[in-house]
Amino acid sequence: MLFYTHSSERCDEVTAHFHCPACGDRDVRGLAWTERQSTRLLGILPILEERLHWVSAPCCERQLMSRVTPRALAELDPDEIQFGRILRDRVSPVKILLLISAYLFCFMPVLGPVFFLFAWLPSGSSRTWFRMACRIWVILHLVMMNALVVLLIMADKK
Ligand SMILES: [Zn+2]
């Protein structure tokens, strides 16, 4: 049995027309969708359930977060979307939460990497700072694991 499960599904896919807030490109067409995320402890206990709306920006290959549903977004024109600041270039809060958990469990041989994989794996490109944080985690985890092995060897000698 899995200690921790995470599932996400995509629905309501439509094409939206917008000005990209990440790179400033105008009149971009990208796919908008809703992502249903659910995170459960021991496969039963829900910790986090969330619906997030996303748009993919083909101009800079980023994933933008939308404040409105894909259907509502498709009905707005690019100027309205820009004026209302409906699209934002940011990392999913679920991924941030998973990465924080990975940092908290950094010293654990199995649990740490499980959190890390969930934070890192789902859905396309992320912001630079998020990728940096992921790389730092890997280094930190390797250092921790080596320290653990050294400690075990030392404890064994006594
Ligand atoms: Zn762009």
Side-chain angles (χ1 to χ4, degrees):
M1 189 150 102
L2 272 171
F3 175 72
Y4 181 85
T5 58
H6 182 75
S7 66
S8 76
E9 57 171 325
R10 272 168 90 136
C11 49
D12 302 332
E13 289 188 355
V14 288
T15 307
H17 185 201
F18 56 93
H19 303 314
C20 179
C23 67
D25 234 7
R26 298 184 71 79
D27 294 311
V28 181
R29 268 176 206 284
L31 191 70
W33 71 93
T34 295
E35 188 178 273
R36 266 199 300 233
Q37 298 254 19
S38 78
T39 305
R40 285 157 194 273
L41 191 66
L42 301 170
I44 328 157
L45 206 73
I47 312 170
L48 204 80
E49 290 217 351
E50 200 173 20
R51 270 164 183 278
L52 298 168
H53 310 302
W54 296 102
V55 186
S56 71
C59 44
C60 52
E61 298 195 342
R62 283 209 182 131
Q63 208 171 290
L64 309 168
M65 192 181 266
S66 165
R67 276 165 44 200
V68 299
T69 62
R71 220 164 278 277
L73 191 72
E75 281 167 15
L76 293 169
D77 73 57
D79 294 322
E80 283 178 306
I81 293 168
Q82 188 178 43
F83 192 71
R85 290 168 191 252
I86 285 162
L87 296 181
R88 279 171 300 169
D89 179 22
R90 57 176 291 197
V91 177
S92 156
V94 179
K95 288 179 88 169
I96 296 171
L97 197 77
L98 287 168
L99 190 64
I100 292 170
S101 309
Y103 268 96
L104 290 176
F105 291 101
C106 196
F107 57 91
M108 303 274 283
V110 181
L111 207 56
V114 166
F115 276 108
F116 177 74
L117 279 179
F118 281 130
W120 185 66
L121 275 180
S123 62
S125 62
S126 295
R127 301 306 313 273
T128 319
W129 68 262
F130 188 79
R131 281 203 292 264
M132 279 301 292
C134 284
R135 261 174 230 159
I136 293 166
W137 185 87
V138 172
I139 295 162
L140 198 64
H141 184 65
L142 287 176
V143 170
M144 289 281 197
M145 287 305 102
N146 281 317
L148 200 70
V149 169
V150 170
L151 277 174
L152 284 174
I153 292 167
M154 274 163 60
D156 215 34
K157 276 182 182 168
K158 277 171 192 168

